[in-house]
Amino acid sequence: MFRNKGAQDAPADPPCPDEPGGPDDPGNPDDPGVPADLGAPAEPLDLRLDDHRDAPSLHLTPDFMMQRHDELAEMERELGPGHEDVLRVRNNYAMLLGSWSAAAPPGDTRMADRAIALLEVNLGYREASLGPDHRDTLSTCRSIGHAHLTAGRPTRAIPYLERALEGRERATGRDDEDTLTAREKLSDACAAAGMTDRAIALLEETVAVSERLHPPGAEKVRNRKVKLFDAHRKAGRRTEAIALCKEIIGDTERFYGPHHLDTYIWVDNLAHLHHDEEDLDAAIACYERAIAGLEQIHGPDSEALSYRYHNLAIAHLEDGHPDRAIPCLEAALAACEHSFGADHGTTLGALVRLIDGLDRAGRITEAVEAAERLVAALLRVGGPDHPKLPEARDYLEELRRSLS
């Protein structure tokens, strides 16, 4: 039985008005195929980043960065390396290097490493003069941890983020918003390091405290719930993910209304979860609600609807109702034709799925007509030497034999 459900994507953080991604395995769009079953500062500054993309919002250029480097070196000579003004300038310079590093090619951590070295110098002075639990000390710890995390070194980030969290808890308490932010950042590092259970436990505590601190539907609460939902889903904890998804739908309905785009996206996410749990009645009800709402927003022929029609068709087929799947597959094909054109690979893939659905429903005459349409399209696209043409013709002949 064919099944190719769309990805269960949550809206971005903050919630994104765009659509989630398409099917997990869309295949080659130019090859629809005809499957039988579809389913430190003293060092010189190196700014040789030839293919580096400047950050336009900060106007970062090699000349600008060299000026900051020289400014720091001069202040260190005049005021001393531990002067408060020097610490401030060093911190700002490290942040600029971090922004530079973020736009560097993948794997290039030179600027990140230099930023970390500068922050380590500041951390030593901050801790000695202000104490280990001062806000500035803890902020520097968190900055170092974040730099390591951004550079792809979560295990090196964790000790600094743990230190930042423990200090926040001692200084401001476990329920302070700064503490929540520190706990959330530590959870990010744990997740990146593969420490899933700890990451989820940290997020669960963060969400629980956030709900006490903020009113229902507050953006911070909702964004943290979204992150926790995604963690549960990736860990395969569907029961927890379903319960949290329902909470998020309720929050979204209260905050945006029951007919908002985000609400329908989350209903679609819930449909995927029910489908994975083989609760087909619940999945179909959620798919139908999401599709009805998205048709009102985007129109029935939009690309955003095409794979959702397909997912609903899969659910109907798995539920033993192929006749109910056919209108969904026809709607998916019409949406693909409108969005991509009649001969696009995505459209031909939708046509293949319709042929298969018609065959399963016993509507062989219609399946033959659709298969003839597929053969003609493959001839237009690739001519008589199209690699999939023989397979499509064999499929057509098999259908004709079934009809006779």
Side-chain angles (χ1 to χ4, degrees):
M1 180 170 293
F2 74 90
R3 186 173 183 201
N4 186 19
K5 297 203 293 106
Q8 304 162 27
D9 290 346
D13 183 9
C16 175
D18 296 329
E19 295 299 324
D24 291 331
D25 184 18
N28 185 346
D30 297 319
D31 181 12
V34 188
D37 193 31
L38 297 173
E43 300 174 1
L45 183 64
D46 182 5
L47 292 172
R48 294 172 298 174
L49 295 175
D50 296 336
D51 57 352
H52 177 269
R53 301 165 302 165
D54 294 337
S57 61
L58 295 176
H59 305 292
L60 300 185
T61 65
D63 287 344
F64 178 83
M65 298 299 286
M66 280 305 306
Q67 290 172 6
R68 305 290 76 74
H69 175 268
D70 294 343
E71 177 187 10
L72 174 60
E74 183 177 354
M75 291 184 68
E76 287 179 324
R77 287 192 299 268
E78 292 181 357
L79 302 175
H83 191 277
E84 182 61 33
D85 289 346
V86 175
L87 296 178
R88 174 180 52 78
V89 171
R90 187 182 292 121
N91 181 80
N92 292 342
Y93 181 40
M95 297 302 103
L96 291 172
L97 288 170
S99 297
W100 182 285
S101 178
D108 186 347
T109 64
R110 290 175 296 158
M111 294 300 110
D113 293 338
R114 173 169 289 277
I116 290 169
L118 293 171
L119 291 169
E120 291 276 12
V121 172
N122 271 15
L123 180 59
Y125 285 112
R126 296 285 191 201
E127 193 167 23
S129 61
L130 301 174
D133 294 341
H134 190 276
R135 176 180 293 273
D136 290 347
T137 304
L138 300 176
S139 178
T140 305
C141 280
R142 195 170 73 182
S143 295
I144 296 173
H146 178 73
H148 277 304
L149 185 58
T150 303
R153 300 187 290 251
T155 55
R156 294 178 66 178
I158 288 173
Y160 291 98
L161 298 174
E162 288 176 330
R163 187 172 166 187
L165 174 57
E166 292 164 0
R168 291 291 187 198
E169 290 177 337
R170 289 192 298 267
T172 60
R174 297 180 63 85
D175 293 357
D176 180 80
E177 182 59 44
D178 285 342
T179 304
L180 295 182
T181 301
R183 189 177 295 121
E184 185 176 359
K185 183 58 67 175
L186 176 58
S187 173
D188 292 342
C190 290
M195 302 164 62
T196 303
D197 290 343
R198 188 182 182 194
I200 290 175
L202 288 164
L203 272 177
E204 287 176 331
E205 184 177 358
T206 303
V207 169
V209 175
S210 296
E211 290 184 305
R212 294 200 302 268
L213 293 182
H214 301 287
E219 185 176 359
K220 284 186 177 180
V221 180
R222 186 170 180 274
N223 291 345
R224 286 165 175 161
K225 282 186 177 181
V226 169
K227 186 179 288 187
L228 178 57
F229 164 82
D230 196 48
H232 280 312
R233 183 179 59 82
K234 289 179 179 177
R237 300 180 175 186
R238 293 199 188 105
T239 300
E240 294 86 348
I242 288 173
L244 192 53
C245 189
K246 291 178 179 178
E247 281 189 36
I248 295 172
I249 291 172
D251 293 343
T252 307
E253 288 176 329
R254 285 190 295 270
F255 192 77
Y256 294 113
H259 306 299
H260 191 274
L261 174 63
D262 275 6
T263 302
Y264 294 130
I265 289 175
W266 278 102
V267 171
D268 190 57
N269 288 336
L270 181 59
H272 285 290
L273 293 170
H274 284 312
H275 202 157
D276 288 337
E277 287 290 280
E278 300 183 356
D279 186 349
L280 296 177
D281 289 341
I284 289 169
C286 290
Y287 281 137
E288 289 176 338
R289 179 186 172 189
I291 287 172
L294 292 168
E295 284 177 338
Q296 294 297 317
I297 294 173
H298 294 301
D301 293 333
S302 72
E303 178 183 351
L305 268 298
S306 61
Y307 69 87
R308 289 188 168 98
Y309 292 132
H310 176 219
N311 292 341
L312 177 56
I314 296 170
H316 281 310
L317 286 169
E318 293 180 357
D319 200 30
H321 297 288
D323 283 335
R324 298 180 186 177
I326 302 305
C328 304
L329 294 170
E330 291 172 335
L333 177 59
C336 288
E337 289 175 329
H338 181 269
S339 300
F340 304 109
D343 293 339
H344 191 275
T346 303
T347 305
L348 298 183
L351 179 57
V352 169
R353 291 189 285 272
L354 175 59
I355 297 168
D356 182 80
L358 291 166
D359 190 6
R360 292 169 188 267
R363 295 162 62 168
I364 307 302
T365 300
E366 295 168 82
V368 169
E369 294 172 355
E372 290 172 341
R373 179 178 168 188
L374 175 63
V375 169
L378 292 175
L379 283 168
R380 289 195 303 272
V381 171
D385 296 326
H386 193 290
K388 287 298 179 180
L389 188 58
E391 190 176 356
R393 282 174 167 161
D394 289 344
Y395 194 12
L396 174 58
E397 289 306 313
E398 182 181 347
L399 290 169
R400 285 172 173 165
R401 286 193 297 270
S402 297
L403 182 61
S404 65

